[in-house]
Amino acid sequence: MAAEASQALGWWGVLLAIAAGTMRGGTPFLFVSLGECLTEKSGKINLGLEGTLLTGAMTAYAISYLTGSPWLGVLAAGIAGVGLGAIHGWLSQQFRVNDVAVGIAMIVFGSGIAFFFGKPFIQPSAPQLPTINLATDGMPPALQAALQISPLFLLGVAIAPLLSWFFRSTRWGLFIRAVGDSPDAARAMGVSIFKVRMLSVMIGSFLAGIGGASLSLYYPGVWTERISSGQGLMAVALVIFARWNPIACLWASLLFGGAQALGPALQSVGIQQGYYLFNAAPYVLTLLIMIFTCSPKRTLTGVPGALGTDS
Amino acid sequence: MNKIWFPRYSRRQVIRGLLATAAFGVTAKLGTGCTASEGGAAAGGGEGMTVGFIYVGPKDDYGYNQAHAEGAAGMVAKHSTVKLVEEANVPETTAVAESMRSMIDIDGARMLFPTSFGYFDPHILKLAEEYPDVQFFHCGGLYQEGTHPKNVGSYYGYIDEAQYIAGIVAGMTSKTGKLGFIAAKPIPQVLRNINSFSLGARSINPVVTTQVVFTGNWAEPIKEAEATNSMVDQGIDVVTCHVDSPKVVMETAEKRGIFTSGYHANQASLSPNGYLTGAEWDWTNIYAKLVEDAQTGKTLADGSIPHLLRGGLKEGFCKLSDYGAAVSEATKQAAEAAKAKFMDGSMVIYAGEIKDNQGNVVVAAGESLKQQDPKLETMDYLVEGVIGSVGS
């Protein structure tokens, strides 16, 4: 036992918890919001990512347990996401099918699949993803624990600018933006709207599946049926909050991840009152930012023109 | 122009509508049909009775629900004629009322065990009025003579006795003298566990403190992990909890290298190095006893089954996990001594004078509240030595 337990950190502990929380708790938000960003840029909404997150978490945990390789679990989670994404992508593009309605059906379907196949995996302990240790030996143990960073987090941080560059400066990025902003123009360019949207939804779901893997294989590192607690839906909302900008998605995810740590951390230093309020901090923060950044003079910037329309 | 107005439906739409209605009818018919044939006959007491169990979470969560599901399975093992119907993941909303209704109407259940705290008021109370010949047993609810329907009973174990002993073990093993308790909500049962755990620890070492973090709900995996991490950062080196599934708390604490004390079920396998002991439920006895009573024709309504059924270590409602490797011999002796006093009934946890953590006297000097005292079931304070607040 490492019983030479750390001395009390006091208020530094709160800051440390929030900083560590951004990296630990922000990872699933990051992957799901990047995936949704890609999907929505092509003009479709995928609310089903909540279900994809759960399926990803379950698949990753199950495969990691069965094969003993957590990275295989991550890959399988992504593939399971692609499967759900294919269903959503195909269904939501049928004539007179509403993508929000399909998305809600996919939440139920994805979580149902995850619960059904996940039953035997609630009890066993699966091998977890290795972490990258940035701390040196001289640091206090609390700091060392906070600096155990998941490679998935680093991957997510790398994907955000990459996605931003992809939208801005590549031919494929242009296709996606064109399909999302003006399907008619895209069709005139000779781009297949169906294929572009299908691929965008599938790759977005792949990312969301990996977000699920970070829940079950990194933090908190278990598979239970209530592991997501609505994070998938919140991440979908984050995309709107981030104005469909991948870099802003990164900041928003970090903010929400850190805010999750606020309530418990404040209580552990003796701030006893109002923990329900602290737990609600991310939502209050979102509302405040929405209020301060909105303007009656212009429409929402960055919103893909054809988002959620029937074209 | 006297054109007769017709609703403009095409033939296709009409056919589609008819098909849809037919399909719905068939599925609804089939859905009820196959289950109803099994039930029905099983109505009434005696042999072949149907008993329903409802859980708020999954049945294998290393926690509250697993403990009840194990109790139900143990009961069936003792009474093989009983038909067990179970439903897991039922939220504390009108969903539970629907589950109960279908268990009664379709499966023919005559005894129901809706196990989660929030099922009681208003859902069980409402259904009990509607079905006076069905017996409802609720875990933890406080039955009030006169105001609640006569066919409602409440059972609960004084698991705080086990928590008291776990507190002794934790207090003697801790090096920093700081214990952590991760709790869901400040309701009486939870507060009583926190207080007993703390009183146990302070009975050995009066300077030990217990830090409480409330997560706000029964299953909040991420907040539970964050709370555990924050506690370790604050120098806490033994952590226990009262949430639905202690798995996250135990695994996170084990990763951070501190000691753990389990709750609900045995979590030694989740925390092999740090597990000290744990307070576990033991529902098999009580479920088997209640079913036996019902089979011999006893009912809640005529008073032959008591409305309030309570018991602790002595009555076999709860037990302690086996001690972990980190528990010293001296600690084991102190714990066993306390356990012996519980077993012979001479132990009273809430014996005055006890102050709450605001400095008010909550149990006066000379007053001694036995476990059965209803005052303890309305507990709304944290005792001296607990850092935390019951207000939200």
Side-chain angles (χ1 to χ4, degrees), chain A residues 1 6 8-10 24 119 122-123 125 142 145 219 222 225 231 261 265 267-269 272-276 279, chain B residues 60 62 66 89 178 186 211 213-215 222-223 225-226 229-230 232-235 247 251 256-257 388-389 391-392:
Chain A
M1 285 307 303
S6 51
L9 287 174
R24 292 189 295 233
K119 278 269 179 277
I122 295 175
Q123 279 220 329
S125 286
Y219 195 81
V222 293
E225 294 179 0
Q231 290 184 71
Q267 279 190 69
S268 74
V269 294
Q272 307 300 346
Q273 300 302 321
Y275 50 89
Y276 282 107
N279 287 347
Chain B
D60 40 10
Y62 272 105
Q66 181 176 331
N89 293 318
K178 290 178 172 183
Q211 170 74 54
V213 169
F214 290 106
T215 59
I222 299 210
K223 292 214 178 73
E226 287 297 347
N229 277 316
S230 297
V232 182
D233 292 346
Q234 297 300 328
K247 197 178 179 193
E251 289 192 333
R256 294 292 304 265
S389 149
S392 58

Side-chain angles (χ1 to χ4, degrees), chain A residues 253-276:
Chain A
S253 305
L254 293 183
L255 181 74
F256 271 61
Q260 281 182 321
L262 189 64
L266 281 177
Q267 279 190 69
S268 74
V269 294
I271 306 288
Q272 307 300 346
Q273 300 302 321
Y275 50 89
Y276 282 107

Side-chain angles (χ1 to χ4, degrees), chain B residues 225-281:
Chain B
E226 287 297 347
T228 315
N229 277 316
S230 297
M231 283 183 168
V232 182
D233 292 346
Q234 297 300 328
I236 284 162
D237 67 347
V238 184
V239 69
T240 185
C241 59
H242 187 160
V243 294
D244 265 358
S245 170
K247 197 178 179 193
V248 172
V249 173
M250 298 298 143
E251 289 192 333
T252 311
E254 177 77 7
K255 267 185 220 160
R256 294 292 304 265
I258 64 164
F259 298 116
T260 55
S261 181
Y263 189 60
H264 290 314
N266 193 332
Q267 286 109 23
S269 59
L270 297 176
S271 170
N273 296 319
Y275 199 71
L276 298 177
T277 181
E280 295 178 34
W281 296 107

